[in-house]
Coordinates of all heavy atoms in Angstrom, one line a residue:
M1 N -11.4 68.3 -20.1 CA -12.5 67.4 -20.0 C -13.8 68.1 -20.7 O -14.0 69.3 -20.3 CB -12.9 67.0 -18.6 CG -13.9 66.0 -18.4 SD -14.2 65.5 -16.7 CE -12.7 64.7 -16.3
S2 N -14.5 67.5 -21.5 CA -15.7 68.1 -22.1 C -16.8 68.3 -21.1 O -16.8 67.6 -20.1 CB -16.1 67.3 -23.3 OG -16.7 66.1 -22.9
D3 N -17.7 69.1 -21.4 CA -18.9 69.2 -20.6 C -19.6 67.8 -20.3 O -19.9 67.5 -19.3 CB -19.9 70.1 -21.2 CG -19.4 71.6 -21.3 OD1 -18.4 71.9 -20.6 OD2 -20.1 72.3 -22.0
K4 N -19.7 67.1 -21.4 CA -20.4 65.8 -21.3 C -19.6 64.8 -20.4 O -20.2 64.2 -19.5 CB -20.5 65.2 -22.7 CG -21.2 63.9 -22.8 CD -21.3 63.5 -24.2 CE -22.1 62.2 -24.4 NZ -22.2 61.7 -25.8
D5 N -18.3 64.8 -20.6 CA -17.5 63.9 -19.7 C -17.5 64.4 -18.2 O -17.6 63.6 -17.3 CB -16.1 63.8 -20.1 CG -15.9 63.1 -21.4 OD1 -16.8 62.3 -21.8 OD2 -14.8 63.3 -22.1
D6 N -17.5 65.7 -18.1 CA -17.5 66.3 -16.7 C -18.9 66.0 -16.0 O -18.9 65.6 -14.9 CB -17.3 67.8 -16.8 CG -17.1 68.4 -15.4 OD1 -16.6 67.7 -14.4 OD2 -17.3 69.6 -15.3
I7 N -20.0 66.2 -16.7 CA -21.3 65.9 -16.2 C -21.4 64.4 -15.9 O -22.0 64.0 -14.8 CB -22.4 66.4 -17.1 CG1 -22.5 67.9 -17.3 CG2 -23.7 65.7 -16.7 CD1 -22.9 68.6 -16.0
R8 N -20.9 63.5 -16.7 CA -21.0 62.1 -16.4 C -20.2 61.8 -15.2 O -20.8 61.0 -14.3 CB -20.4 61.3 -17.6 CG -20.3 59.8 -17.3 CD -19.7 59.0 -18.4 NE -20.6 58.9 -19.6 CZ -21.5 58.1 -19.7 NH1 -21.8 57.2 -18.9 NH2 -22.3 58.1 -20.9
Q9 N -19.1 62.4 -15.0 CA -18.4 62.1 -13.7 C -19.1 62.6 -12.5 O -19.2 62.0 -11.5 CB -17.0 62.7 -13.8 CG -16.1 62.4 -12.7 CD -15.8 60.9 -12.6 OE1 -15.4 60.2 -13.5 NE2 -16.0 60.3 -11.4
Q10 N -19.7 63.8 -12.6 CA -20.4 64.4 -11.5 C -21.6 63.6 -11.1 O -21.9 63.3 -10.0 CB -20.9 65.8 -11.9 CG -19.8 66.8 -11.9 CD -20.3 68.2 -12.3 OE1 -21.4 68.6 -11.8 NE2 -19.7 68.9 -13.2
L11 N -22.4 63.0 -12.2 CA -23.5 62.1 -11.9 C -23.0 60.9 -11.2 O -23.6 60.4 -10.2 CB -24.2 61.8 -13.2 CG -24.9 63.0 -13.8 CD1 -25.4 62.6 -15.3 CD2 -26.1 63.4 -13.0
H12 N -21.9 60.3 -11.7 CA -21.4 59.1 -11.1 C -21.0 59.3 -9.7 O -21.4 58.5 -8.8 CB -20.2 58.6 -11.9 CG -19.7 57.3 -11.5 ND1 -18.8 57.1 -10.4 CD2 -19.9 56.0 -12.0 CE1 -18.7 55.8 -10.3 NE2 -19.2 55.1 -11.3
D13 N -20.3 60.4 -9.4 CA -19.9 60.8 -8.0 C -21.2 61.0 -7.2 O -21.2 60.5 -6.0 CB -19.0 61.9 -8.0 CG -17.6 61.7 -8.6 OD1 -17.3 60.6 -8.9 OD2 -16.9 62.8 -8.9
G14 N -22.1 61.7 -7.7 CA -23.3 61.9 -6.9 C -24.1 60.8 -6.6 O -24.7 60.7 -5.5
F15 N -24.2 59.8 -7.5 CA -25.1 58.7 -7.3 C -24.4 57.4 -6.8 O -25.0 56.4 -6.5 CB -25.9 58.3 -8.6 CG -26.8 59.5 -9.1 CD1 -26.8 59.9 -10.3 CD2 -27.7 60.1 -8.1 CE1 -27.7 60.9 -10.7 CE2 -28.5 61.1 -8.5 CZ -28.5 61.5 -9.8
A16 N -23.1 57.5 -6.7 CA -22.3 56.3 -6.4 C -22.6 55.7 -5.0 O -22.5 54.5 -4.8 CB -20.8 56.5 -6.6
D17 N -22.8 56.7 -4.1 CA -23.1 56.1 -2.7 C -24.5 55.8 -2.4 O -24.8 55.6 -1.3 CB -22.5 57.3 -1.7 CG -21.0 57.4 -1.8 OD1 -20.4 56.4 -2.2 OD2 -20.5 58.4 -1.5
A18 N -25.4 55.8 -3.4 CA -26.8 55.4 -3.1 C -26.8 54.0 -2.6 O -25.8 53.2 -2.8 CB -27.6 55.6 -4.3
D19 N -27.9 53.6 -1.9 CA -28.1 52.3 -1.4 C -28.6 51.4 -2.4 O -29.9 51.2 -2.6 CB -28.9 52.3 -0.1 CG -28.9 51.0 0.7 OD1 -28.1 50.2 0.4 OD2 -29.8 50.9 1.5
Y20 N -27.7 50.8 -3.3 CA -28.2 49.9 -4.3 C -28.6 48.6 -3.9 O -28.0 48.1 -2.9 CB -27.1 49.8 -5.4 CG -26.9 51.1 -6.2 CD1 -25.9 52.0 -5.7 CD2 -27.7 51.4 -7.3 CE1 -25.8 53.3 -6.4 CE2 -27.5 52.6 -8.0 CZ -26.6 53.5 -7.5 OH -26.4 54.7 -8.2
P21 N -29.6 47.9 -4.5 CA -30.3 48.4 -5.7 C -31.3 49.6 -5.3 O -31.8 49.7 -4.2 CB -31.1 47.2 -6.2 CG -31.3 46.4 -4.9 CD -30.0 46.7 -4.0
V22 N -31.5 50.4 -6.4 CA -32.5 51.5 -6.2 C -33.7 51.2 -7.1 O -33.5 50.7 -8.2 CB -31.9 52.9 -6.5 CG1 -30.8 53.3 -5.5 CG2 -31.3 52.9 -7.9
S23 N -34.9 51.4 -6.6 CA -36.1 51.2 -7.4 C -36.8 52.4 -7.8 O -37.8 52.3 -8.6 CB -37.0 50.2 -6.6 OG -37.3 50.9 -5.4
S24 N -36.4 53.6 -7.5 CA -37.0 54.9 -7.9 C -36.1 56.0 -7.7 O -35.1 55.9 -7.0 CB -38.3 55.0 -7.1 OG -38.0 55.6 -5.8
P25 N -36.3 57.1 -8.4 CA -35.5 58.3 -8.2 C -35.4 58.7 -6.7 O -34.4 59.3 -6.3 CB -36.2 59.4 -9.0 CG -36.9 58.6 -10.1 CD -37.4 57.4 -9.4
M26 N -36.5 58.5 -6.0 CA -36.5 58.9 -4.5 C -35.4 58.2 -3.8 O -34.9 58.6 -2.7 CB -37.8 58.7 -3.9 CG -38.9 59.7 -4.5 SD -38.4 61.5 -4.5 CE -38.3 61.7 -2.7
D27 N -35.0 57.0 -4.2 CA -34.0 56.2 -3.5 C -32.6 56.8 -3.7 O -31.7 56.5 -3.0 CB -33.9 54.8 -4.1 CG -35.1 53.9 -3.7 OD1 -35.8 54.4 -2.8 OD2 -35.4 52.9 -4.4
L28 N -32.5 57.7 -4.7 CA -31.2 58.4 -5.0 C -31.0 59.7 -4.2 O -29.8 60.0 -3.9 CB -31.1 58.7 -6.4 CG -31.1 57.5 -7.5 CD1 -31.4 58.0 -8.8 CD2 -29.9 56.7 -7.2
V29 N -32.1 60.3 -3.7 CA -32.0 61.6 -3.0 C -31.1 61.6 -1.8 O -30.3 62.5 -1.6 CB -33.4 62.0 -2.6 CG1 -33.4 63.3 -1.8 CG2 -34.2 62.3 -3.9
P30 N -31.1 60.5 -0.9 CA -30.2 60.6 0.3 C -28.7 60.6 -0.1 O -27.9 61.0 0.7 CB -30.6 59.3 1.0 CG -31.9 59.0 0.6 CD -32.0 59.4 -0.8
A31 N -28.4 60.1 -1.3 CA -27.0 60.0 -1.6 C -26.4 61.4 -2.1 O -25.2 61.7 -2.1 CB -26.8 59.1 -2.7
L32 N -27.3 62.3 -2.5 CA -26.9 63.6 -3.0 C -26.7 64.7 -1.9 O -27.5 64.7 -0.9 CB -28.0 64.2 -3.9 CG -28.3 63.3 -5.1 CD1 -29.5 63.8 -5.8 CD2 -27.1 63.3 -6.1
P33 N -25.6 65.4 -2.0 CA -25.2 66.3 -0.9 C -26.3 67.4 -0.5 O -26.4 67.7 0.7 CB -23.9 66.9 -1.3 CG -23.9 66.7 -2.8 CD -24.7 65.5 -3.1
N34 N -27.0 67.8 -1.5 CA -28.0 68.8 -1.3 C -29.4 68.3 -1.7 O -30.2 69.1 -2.1 CB -27.6 70.1 -2.0 CG -26.5 70.8 -1.5 OD1 -26.3 70.8 -0.3 ND2 -25.6 71.2 -2.4
G35 N -29.5 67.0 -1.6 CA -30.8 66.4 -2.0 C -31.2 66.8 -3.4 O -30.4 66.9 -4.3
P36 N -32.5 67.0 -3.7 CA -33.0 67.3 -4.9 C -32.5 68.7 -5.5 O -32.6 69.0 -6.7 CB -34.5 67.3 -4.9 CG -34.8 67.4 -3.4 CD -33.6 66.9 -2.7
S37 N -31.9 69.4 -4.6 CA -31.3 70.8 -5.0 C -29.9 70.7 -5.5 O -29.3 71.7 -5.9 CB -31.5 71.8 -3.9 OG -32.8 72.0 -3.6
T38 N -29.3 69.5 -5.4 CA -27.9 69.3 -5.8 C -27.8 69.7 -7.3 O -28.7 69.3 -8.1 CB -27.6 67.8 -5.7 OG1 -27.6 67.5 -4.3 CG2 -26.1 67.6 -6.2
T39 N -26.8 70.5 -7.6 CA -26.6 71.1 -8.9 C -25.5 70.3 -9.7 O -24.4 70.1 -9.0 CB -26.3 72.5 -8.9 OG1 -27.5 73.2 -8.3 CG2 -26.2 73.1 -10.3
F40 N -25.7 70.0 -10.9 CA -24.6 69.4 -11.8 C -24.4 70.4 -12.8 O -25.3 70.9 -13.5 CB -25.2 68.1 -12.4 CG -25.5 67.0 -11.3 CD1 -26.9 66.9 -11.0 CD2 -24.6 66.2 -10.7 CE1 -27.2 65.9 -10.0 CE2 -24.9 65.2 -9.8 CZ -26.3 65.1 -9.5
E41 N -23.1 70.8 -13.0 CA -22.9 71.9 -14.0 C -21.5 71.7 -14.5 O -20.5 71.3 -13.8 CB -23.1 73.3 -13.4 CG -22.3 73.6 -12.2 CD -22.7 74.9 -11.6 OE1 -23.3 75.8 -12.3 OE2 -22.5 75.1 -10.4
S42 N -21.4 72.1 -15.8 CA -20.1 72.2 -16.5 C -20.3 73.0 -17.8 O -21.2 72.8 -18.6 CB -19.6 70.8 -16.9 OG -18.4 70.8 -17.6
G43 N -19.5 74.0 -18.0 CA -19.7 74.9 -19.1 C -21.0 75.6 -19.2 O -21.5 76.1 -18.1
D44 N -21.7 75.4 -20.3 CA -23.0 76.0 -20.5 C -24.2 75.0 -20.0 O -25.3 75.4 -20.0 CB -23.3 76.2 -21.9 CG -22.4 77.4 -22.5 OD1 -21.9 78.1 -21.6 OD2 -22.2 77.4 -23.7
V45 N -23.8 73.9 -19.4 CA -24.8 72.8 -19.0 C -24.9 72.9 -17.5 O -24.0 72.9 -16.7 CB -24.3 71.4 -19.4 CG1 -25.3 70.4 -18.8 CG2 -24.2 71.3 -20.9
S46 N -26.2 73.1 -17.0 CA -26.4 73.2 -15.6 C -27.9 72.7 -15.3 O -28.8 73.1 -16.0 CB -26.2 74.6 -15.1 OG -26.5 74.8 -13.8
F47 N -28.1 71.9 -14.3 CA -29.4 71.4 -13.8 C -29.3 70.9 -12.5 O -28.2 70.5 -12.0 CB -29.9 70.4 -14.9 CG -29.0 69.3 -15.1 CD1 -28.9 68.2 -14.3 CD2 -28.1 69.3 -16.2 CE1 -28.0 67.1 -14.5 CE2 -27.3 68.3 -16.5 CZ -27.2 67.2 -15.6
T48 N -30.4 71.0 -11.7 CA -30.4 70.3 -10.4 C -30.9 68.9 -10.6 O -31.4 68.5 -11.7 CB -31.4 71.0 -9.5 OG1 -32.8 70.9 -10.1 CG2 -31.1 72.5 -9.4
A49 N -30.8 68.1 -9.5 CA -31.3 66.7 -9.6 C -32.7 66.7 -9.8 O -33.3 65.8 -10.5 CB -31.0 66.1 -8.3
M50 N -33.5 67.7 -9.3 CA -35.0 67.7 -9.5 C -35.3 67.9 -11.0 O -36.1 67.3 -11.6 CB -35.6 68.8 -8.7 CG -37.1 68.8 -8.8 SD -37.9 70.1 -7.7 CE -37.4 69.5 -6.1
E51 N -34.6 68.9 -11.6 CA -34.7 69.2 -13.0 C -34.4 68.0 -13.8 O -35.1 67.6 -14.8 CB -33.9 70.4 -13.5 CG -34.4 71.7 -12.9 CD -33.4 72.8 -13.2 OE1 -32.1 72.6 -13.2 OE2 -33.8 74.0 -13.2
L52 N -33.3 67.3 -13.4 CA -32.9 66.1 -14.2 C -34.0 65.1 -14.2 O -34.3 64.5 -15.2 CB -31.6 65.5 -13.4 CG -31.1 64.2 -13.9 CD1 -30.5 64.4 -15.4 CD2 -30.0 63.7 -13.1
N53 N -34.6 64.8 -13.1 CA -35.7 63.8 -13.0 C -36.9 64.2 -13.9 O -37.4 63.4 -14.5 CB -36.1 63.7 -11.6 CG -37.1 62.5 -11.4 OD1 -36.9 61.4 -11.9 ND2 -38.2 62.8 -10.8
T54 N -37.3 65.5 -13.9 CA -38.4 65.9 -14.6 C -38.1 66.1 -16.2 O -39.0 65.8 -17.0 CB -39.0 67.2 -14.1 OG1 -38.0 68.2 -14.2 CG2 -39.5 67.1 -12.7
Q55 N -36.9 66.4 -16.5 CA -36.6 66.7 -17.9 C -36.0 65.5 -18.7 O -36.3 65.3 -19.8 CB -35.7 67.9 -18.0 CG -36.3 69.2 -17.6 CD -35.4 70.4 -17.7 OE1 -34.2 70.3 -18.0 NE2 -35.8 71.5 -17.1
A56 N -35.2 64.8 -18.0 CA -34.5 63.7 -18.7 C -34.7 62.4 -18.0 O -34.0 61.4 -18.3 CB -33.0 64.0 -18.8
G57 N -35.7 62.2 -17.2 CA -35.9 61.0 -16.5 C -36.6 59.9 -17.2 O -36.6 58.8 -16.8
G58 N -37.1 60.2 -18.4 CA -37.8 59.3 -19.2 C -37.0 58.1 -19.7 O -37.5 57.0 -20.1
R59 N -35.7 58.2 -19.7 CA -34.8 57.1 -20.2 C -34.5 56.1 -19.1 O -33.9 55.0 -19.3 CB -33.5 57.7 -20.8 CG -33.6 58.5 -22.0 CD -33.9 57.5 -23.2 NE -32.8 56.6 -23.4 CZ -32.3 56.4 -24.5 NH1 -32.6 56.9 -25.6 NH2 -31.3 55.5 -24.6
Q60 N -34.8 56.5 -17.9 CA -34.4 55.6 -16.7 C -35.3 54.4 -16.6 O -36.5 54.6 -16.8 CB -34.4 56.4 -15.4 CG -33.4 57.5 -15.4 CD -33.6 58.6 -14.3 OE1 -34.3 58.2 -13.4 NE2 -32.9 59.7 -14.4
E61 N -34.7 53.3 -16.4 CA -35.5 52.0 -16.3 C -35.1 51.3 -14.9 O -34.2 50.6 -14.9 CB -35.2 51.1 -17.4 CG -35.8 51.6 -18.7 CD -35.5 50.7 -19.9 OE1 -35.5 49.5 -19.6 OE2 -35.4 51.1 -21.0
F62 N -35.8 51.8 -13.9 CA -35.6 51.2 -12.6 C -36.1 49.8 -12.5 O -37.0 49.4 -13.2 CB -36.3 52.0 -11.4 CG -35.6 53.4 -11.3 CD1 -36.0 54.5 -12.1 CD2 -34.6 53.5 -10.4 CE1 -35.4 55.7 -11.9 CE2 -34.0 54.7 -10.2 CZ -34.3 55.9 -11.0
P63 N -35.4 48.9 -11.7 CA -34.5 49.2 -10.7 C -33.1 49.2 -11.3 O -32.9 48.6 -12.4 CB -34.6 48.0 -9.7 CG -35.2 46.9 -10.5 CD -36.0 47.6 -11.6
Y64 N -32.1 49.7 -10.6 CA -30.7 49.7 -11.0 C -29.9 49.0 -9.8 O -30.1 49.3 -8.7 CB -30.1 51.1 -11.1 CG -30.6 51.8 -12.4 CD1 -31.7 52.6 -12.4 CD2 -30.1 51.5 -13.6 CE1 -32.2 53.3 -13.6 CE2 -30.5 52.1 -14.8 CZ -31.6 52.9 -14.8 OH -32.1 53.6 -15.9
E65 N -29.1 48.1 -10.3 CA -28.2 47.3 -9.3 C -26.9 48.1 -9.0 O -26.4 47.8 -7.9 CB -27.9 46.0 -9.9 CG -29.1 45.1 -10.2 CD -29.8 44.8 -8.9 OE1 -29.2 44.5 -7.9 OE2 -31.1 44.7 -9.0
D66 N -26.5 49.0 -9.8 CA -25.3 49.8 -9.5 C -25.4 51.1 -10.3 O -26.2 51.3 -11.1 CB -24.0 49.1 -9.7 CG -23.8 48.6 -11.1 OD1 -23.8 49.4 -12.0 OD2 -23.6 47.4 -11.3
V67 N -24.4 51.9 -10.1 CA -24.4 53.3 -10.6 C -24.1 53.4 -12.1 O -24.7 54.3 -12.7 CB -23.4 54.2 -9.8 CG1 -21.9 53.8 -10.1 CG2 -23.6 55.6 -10.1
D68 N -23.3 52.6 -12.7 CA -23.0 52.7 -14.1 C -24.1 52.6 -15.1 O -24.2 53.5 -15.9 CB -21.9 51.7 -14.5 CG -20.6 52.0 -13.8 OD1 -20.2 53.2 -13.6 OD2 -19.9 51.1 -13.4
P69 N -25.0 51.7 -14.9 CA -26.1 51.7 -16.0 C -27.1 52.9 -15.7 O -27.7 53.4 -16.6 CB -26.9 50.3 -15.7 CG -26.1 49.6 -14.7 CD -24.9 50.5 -14.2
L70 N -27.3 53.2 -14.4 CA -28.0 54.4 -14.2 C -27.5 55.7 -14.8 O -28.2 56.4 -15.5 CB -28.2 54.7 -12.6 CG -28.7 56.0 -12.2 CD1 -30.2 56.1 -12.5 CD2 -28.5 56.2 -10.7
V71 N -26.2 55.9 -14.6 CA -25.6 57.1 -15.3 C -25.7 57.0 -16.8 O -25.9 58.0 -17.5 CB -24.1 57.3 -14.8 CG1 -23.4 58.4 -15.6 CG2 -24.1 57.6 -13.3
D72 N -25.5 55.8 -17.4 CA -25.6 55.6 -18.8 C -27.0 56.1 -19.3 O -27.2 56.8 -20.3 CB -25.4 54.2 -19.2 CG -24.0 53.8 -19.0 OD1 -23.0 54.6 -19.0 OD2 -23.7 52.5 -19.1
D73 N -28.0 55.7 -18.6 CA -29.4 56.0 -19.0 C -29.7 57.5 -18.7 O -30.3 58.2 -19.6 CB -30.4 55.2 -18.2 CG -30.5 53.7 -18.7 OD1 -29.9 53.4 -19.8 OD2 -31.2 53.0 -18.1
V74 N -29.2 58.1 -17.7 CA -29.3 59.5 -17.4 C -28.6 60.3 -18.5 O -29.3 61.3 -19.1 CB -28.8 60.0 -16.1 CG1 -28.8 61.4 -15.9 CG2 -29.7 59.3 -14.9
M75 N -27.4 60.0 -18.9 CA -26.7 60.6 -20.0 C -27.5 60.5 -21.3 O -27.6 61.5 -22.1 CB -25.3 60.1 -20.1 CG -24.4 60.4 -19.0 SD -24.2 62.3 -18.7 CE -23.3 62.6 -20.3
A76 N -28.1 59.4 -21.6 CA -28.8 59.2 -22.8 C -30.0 60.2 -22.8 O -30.3 60.7 -23.8 CB -29.3 57.7 -23.0
G77 N -30.6 60.2 -21.7 CA -31.8 61.1 -21.6 C -31.4 62.6 -21.8 O -32.1 63.4 -22.4
L78 N -30.2 63.0 -21.2 CA -29.8 64.3 -21.4 C -29.4 64.6 -22.8 O -29.7 65.7 -23.3 CB -28.5 64.5 -20.6 CG -28.8 64.6 -19.0 CD1 -27.5 64.6 -18.3 CD2 -29.6 65.9 -18.6
E79 N -28.8 63.7 -23.5 CA -28.5 63.8 -24.9 C -29.8 64.0 -25.7 O -29.9 64.8 -26.6 CB -27.7 62.6 -25.4 CG -26.3 62.7 -24.9 CD -25.5 61.4 -25.3 OE1 -25.9 60.7 -26.2 OE2 -24.4 61.2 -24.7
D80 N -30.8 63.1 -25.4 CA -32.1 63.2 -26.1 C -32.7 64.6 -25.9 O -33.5 65.1 -26.8 CB -33.1 62.1 -25.6 CG -32.8 60.7 -26.0 OD1 -31.8 60.6 -27.0 OD2 -33.3 59.8 -25.5
E81 N -32.5 65.2 -24.8 CA -33.1 66.5 -24.5 C -32.2 67.6 -25.0 O -32.6 68.8 -24.9 CB -33.3 66.6 -23.0 CG -34.3 65.8 -22.3 CD -35.8 66.0 -22.8 OE1 -36.1 67.2 -23.0 OE2 -36.5 65.0 -23.1
G82 N -31.2 67.3 -25.7 CA -30.3 68.3 -26.3 C -29.4 69.1 -25.4 O -29.0 70.2 -25.7
Y83 N -29.0 68.5 -24.3 CA -28.1 69.1 -23.4 C -26.7 69.2 -24.0 O -25.9 70.0 -23.5 CB -28.0 68.5 -22.0 CG -29.2 68.9 -21.1 CD1 -30.4 68.3 -21.2 CD2 -29.0 69.9 -20.2 CE1 -31.4 68.7 -20.3 CE2 -30.1 70.3 -19.4 CZ -31.3 69.7 -19.5 OH -32.3 70.0 -18.6
F84 N -26.3 68.3 -24.9 CA -25.0 68.3 -25.4 C -25.1 68.4 -27.0 O -26.0 67.8 -27.6 CB -24.3 67.0 -25.0 CG -24.3 66.7 -23.5 CD1 -25.1 65.8 -22.9 CD2 -23.5 67.6 -22.7 CE1 -25.0 65.6 -21.6 CE2 -23.5 67.3 -21.4 CZ -24.3 66.4 -20.7
D85 N -24.1 69.0 -27.5 CA -24.0 69.1 -29.0 C -23.6 67.8 -29.7 O -22.9 67.0 -29.2 CB -23.1 70.2 -29.5 CG -23.6 71.5 -29.0 OD1 -24.8 71.8 -28.9 OD2 -22.8 72.4 -28.7

């Protein structure tokens, strides 16, 4: 599995149990095992949920009704920020 696919799966797993719909990044924190300190990593890619929000959060368009569009937007933000080749 590539770093990108692995990170996508980790994000999906991390945010899947949030209480949807979510209207802000703060609504996602309770779903994460270590809150904003939860780390997503694969290969050379590594960031915490807090870093994710500050560095790649510009692509998110809240509210989200379920996890898939949220993860799609987060991944687009990570790509824009150069996390993946």
Side-chain angles (χ1 to χ4, degrees):
M1 185 179 296
S2 73
D3 294 347
K4 186 175 176 181
D5 292 338
D6 190 26
I7 291 291
R8 176 181 289 279
Q9 187 63 52
Q10 289 179 46
L11 292 168
H12 188 279
D13 293 347
F15 297 133
D17 291 335
D19 188 16
Y20 290 92
V22 294
S23 57
S24 78
M26 294 306 296
D27 292 343
L28 298 168
V29 173
L32 298 171
N34 295 317
S37 298
T38 300
T39 301
F40 302 95
E41 58 188 335
S42 180
D44 294 338
V45 177
S46 178
F47 50 85
T48 65
M50 186 179 299
E51 291 170 330
L52 175 66
N53 186 50
T54 59
Q55 295 176 4
R59 292 287 298 228
Q60 299 168 11
E61 295 184 25
F62 288 91
Y64 287 97
E65 298 296 321
D66 61 57
V67 69
D68 292 321
L70 169 66
V71 171
D72 289 345
D73 286 353
V74 169
M75 290 300 295
L78 290 170
E79 290 175 14
D80 288 350
E81 293 296 318
Y83 278 87
F84 306 107
D85 297 329

